[in-house]
Amino acid sequence: GAVVSQHPSWVICKSGTSVKIECRSLDFQATTMFWYRQFPKQSLMLMATSNEGSKATYEQGVEKDKFLINHASLTLSTLTVTSAHPEDSSFYICSAEGLAIINEQFFGPGTRLTVL
Amino acid sequence: GQQLNQSPQSMFIQEGEDVSMNCTSSSIFNTWLWYKQDPGEGPVLLIALYKAGELTSNGRLTAQFGITRKDSFLNISASIPSDVGIYFCAGPPQGAQKLVFGQGTRLTINP
């Protein structure tokens, strides 16, 4: 149980384009999902908290107009990187918090974004 | 912001050795989580701790929630090659839903 999937697993795009990343909880419902980014050899940095049916809460320094988050259902959250630039290249990981145990987050496999 | 201090940052050991890593915080945590991350993958939850003093095992892994609620450790006994990876401690600051992560401990095993 508690499986989280992400799609795509990797994406290469040109500078200026937008990229959408999907995060799904496959066998449980998640009212809250989280989006992280991770640079090489660094820890995970929380970007935003996504709550089903409401606006996402962004961490300080994260541009909400650049990283659009939509949590339309209890099993799906999407992150759209708008007008991507090379500095947005990173490993993006989502996690979902189960309904049964608060604070226990289950992570997706990550999406490697490379912006040329 | 809130940070967890994790040490050591890296470890190079021989196969079969035991491993110990720890995590400390300047403030109280009500939950401690230990994750392992393989290259190019998302973190996988190893052990979750919810009570001060709690000692929990998962196979060769043992983790403890410190009595002061400001620290936790993870031990791996009789390491094997598949233990290689980065181990992260994490926890929610009091009253917060989000997690903060330690800097990670990179484990390398020499066969």
Side-chain angles (χ1 to χ4, degrees):
Chain A
V3 178
V4 177
S5 71
Q6 269 183 253
H7 178 79
S9 55
W10 59 269
V11 57
I12 301 173
C13 70
K14 291 183 180 178
S15 188
T17 60
S18 293
V19 173
K20 181 188 279 189
I21 302 170
E22 292 185 350
C23 178
R24 293 180 187 273
S25 56
L26 297 185
D27 52 0
F28 67 104
Q29 294 183 324
T31 53
T32 305
M33 290 183 172
F34 303 85
W35 287 96
Y36 297 81
R37 65 190 296 182
Q38 186 179 32
F39 292 107
K41 299 192 177 180
Q42 293 190 21
S43 189
L44 285 77
M45 290 184 55
L46 180 65
M47 299 174 65
T49 301
S50 168
N51 291 299
E52 186 264 338
S54 64
K55 289 184 180 179
T57 303
Y58 290 81
E59 294 299 297
Q60 192 172 9
V62 178
E63 299 175 57
K64 62 176 72 172
D65 293 330
K66 179 164 186 65
F67 298 100
L68 300 178
I69 291 172
N70 184 9
H71 193 156
S73 77
L74 285 173
T75 58
L76 173 64
S77 176
T78 61
L79 168 69
T80 301
V81 183
T82 62
S83 187
H85 287 94
E87 58 266 28
D88 298 323
S89 299
S90 188
F91 193 51
Y92 291 87
I93 312 174
C94 72
S95 71
E97 184 178 84
L99 293 177
I101 301 177
I102 302 296
N103 295 145
E104 225 175 77
Q105 291 183 24
F106 300 95
F107 285 82
T111 297
R112 170 79 56 196
L113 170 63
T114 301
V115 185
L116 302 177
Chain B
Q2 178 72 54
Q3 286 193 349
L4 295 179
N5 296 311
Q6 188 173 345
S7 66
Q9 289 188 12
S10 59
M11 301 183 75
F12 298 84
I13 62 169
Q14 296 294 122
E15 184 177 349
E17 288 184 11
D18 296 344
V19 171
S20 185
M21 60 192 79
N22 69 81
C23 213
T24 60
S25 168
S26 57
S27 58
I28 287 173
F29 277 64
N30 292 323
T31 301
W32 284 94
L33 305 170
W34 284 94
Y35 288 90
K36 179 183 181 231
Q37 185 178 29
D38 290 329
E41 304 279 339
V44 174
L45 183 64
L46 299 173
I47 293 179
L49 302 161
Y50 297 101
K51 210 161 124 178
E54 180 182 353
L55 184 72
T56 298
S57 293
N58 178 6
R60 293 178 295 106
L61 278 61
T62 302
Q64 183 157 31
F65 192 143
I67 289 290
T68 64
R69 293 160 67 192
K70 293 183 179 181
D71 63 328
S72 177
F73 72 74
L74 174 71
N75 286 345
I76 305 173
S77 63
S79 58
I80 59 177
S82 61
D83 292 333
V84 166
I86 304 176
Y87 293 80
F88 290 101
C89 60
Q94 272 198 317
Q97 193 176 20
K98 61 186 180 182
L99 293 179
V100 292
F101 282 79
Q103 301 96 324
T105 296
R106 183 180 296 271
L107 179 62
T108 303
I109 298 176
N110 299 316

